[in-house]
Amino acid sequence: MKVAVLTLFSLCIAPTAWGQTADAFVLAKLFVNSTANPQCTFSSNDNLVFGSAGLPSSGTTGSVTVSPVTGARSANNVTTWGTYTVGQVQLTGTDIGSYVVSIFLDAEVVHSSQGTETLDYDVDWAQAETSSGSYTSITGFSYSHAGTARATSLDRYFQFGGTIGGILPGSVTGVYEGSITVWAGCV
Amino acid sequence: MPGFMYTTANSVMKTVILVLMGFSTALAAWGFQSSGSETVDVEITLAAPSPSCSITLTNDLSYGNVVPGSSSGSVTISSTTGDRTHEDVDEVSGSATVGQVEVAGNHGTQYVVEPVFPTALEESGGDTLTYSYKWASSDAASSGYVEFTTETSDTNTGTGTGHSFTKHYRFGGTVSGIETTLPTGAYDGEITVAVSCS
């Protein structure tokens, strides 16, 4: 974002006592401030929904995985059904040279009405330049991009999946919930 | 990876404080000129789904055309192979198909298939031909059928949640009492096949 600063200098010179005359000048100056004003914001496109899963058979532990790269759901030792969606947020910005995206979450999801009941949650995430583009996995909990030049506009998409595990034959049925906080800093 | 980024439930309150401190520290130290955040909700539903089952008609049972002979005759369709055979009739023609249905289900511990057979096929004028049924089942649609002997229903067990069930049933049998004294025309009957699951 560019900022224009217009400064007006005015000068009024009175005639002297010696009958001399002089011109009056009005100077106008324009300073253009080229300091960048980076802005970045997130918008949430989809929450991460694993759908429904049955309980595993006796003696086994089940898990359900949603791939952040493909959006596909898979399962071990449990049957899954119902709608599932990969989580997705969009990072948009202007005048951005570099940015960092970090995620914060708990390592479990909690039963919606019985807070002591939990399931393990292990996040996987990925990023792409377009919503339906080719997503690349991100390792760890931070992703950074160091630009060589400022981008007048930035669009990045981050998808969230992962694995919910620890599903036991005796697990309490119902809805388990958690959240991922996604944060970005831009310069 | 900063330690505050991944926590356990036992440190939820501590986590909030650390995270907030982390944000402000990061902003100041790294000199970010803009920042934003968003929350993605995570959800899974664990459930013991209700058993469900369905039945789909694959083929009606059709004996084709038959010309009576000099004595009472019969036509038979094998419930295992679908082959048509006949006795004491002058001629059979037209296509013959064995009756077939597909039964499917999910999440059940028991799937019971119970057909109800007619005892006769009836012509529009009320004349009848005797029908004696045969039926068979297989896991595959087109082969491997084993005929039931005296059973009038078929009970299949499942493992409950997550169990998926598919089985195919064929229906044939013998139409007898085909005589020249009977009126010509179509003789119809109806086999009702029901499936229940629990």
Side-chain angles (χ1 to χ4, degrees), chain A residues 79 106 108 141 174 180 182 184 186, chain B residues 1 7 9 34 36 38 40 46 162:
Chain A
T79 299
D106 284 329
E108 57 195 16
F141 297 90
I180 305 165
V182 193
C186 309
Chain B
M1 179 185 70
T7 67
S34 176
E38 184 62 73
V40 177
L46 290 189

Side-chain angles (χ1 to χ4, degrees), chain A residues 38-40 42 44 47-55 79 81 89 102 104-108 121 141-142 164 173-187, chain B residues 1-2 4-12 15 19 23 26-27 30-50 107 159 161-163:
Chain A
Q39 297 288 330
C40 57
F42 273 119
S44 179
N47 288 320
L48 170 58
V49 179
F50 285 83
S52 297
L55 301 178
T79 299
W81 68 95
V89 296
S102 296
F104 306 85
L105 69 154
D106 284 329
E108 57 195 16
Y121 175 54
F141 297 90
S142 277
I164 289 184
T173 57
V175 178
Y176 289 74
E177 299 167 325
S179 64
I180 305 165
T181 298
V182 193
W183 176 88
C186 309
V187 291
Chain B
M1 179 185 70
F4 60 78
M5 289 182 179
Y6 202 71
T7 67
T8 65
N10 294 331
S11 60
V12 170
T15 301
V19 167
F23 282 161
L27 275 170
W30 299 339
F32 290 120
Q33 293 172 280
S34 176
S35 67
S37 67
E38 184 62 73
T39 300
V40 177
D41 293 332
V42 181
E43 179 185 299
I44 188 171
T45 302
L46 290 189
S50 300
H107 312 304
T159 55
T161 299
H163 183 257

Side-chain angles (χ1 to χ4, degrees), chain A residues 123-177:
Chain A
V123 69
D124 286 315
W125 60 314
Q127 65 86 28
E129 293 185 9
T130 61
S131 173
S132 58
S134 178
Y135 281 85
T136 304
S137 285
I138 300 170
T139 302
F141 297 90
S142 277
Y143 172 80
S144 61
H145 174 82
T148 54
R150 291 192 179 282
T152 51
S153 67
L154 170 72
D155 259 321
R156 283 293 185 279
Y157 292 83
F158 294 87
Q159 288 199 158
F160 300 91
T163 298
I164 289 184
I167 304 173
L168 302 171
S171 291
V172 175
T173 57
V175 178
Y176 289 74
E177 299 167 325

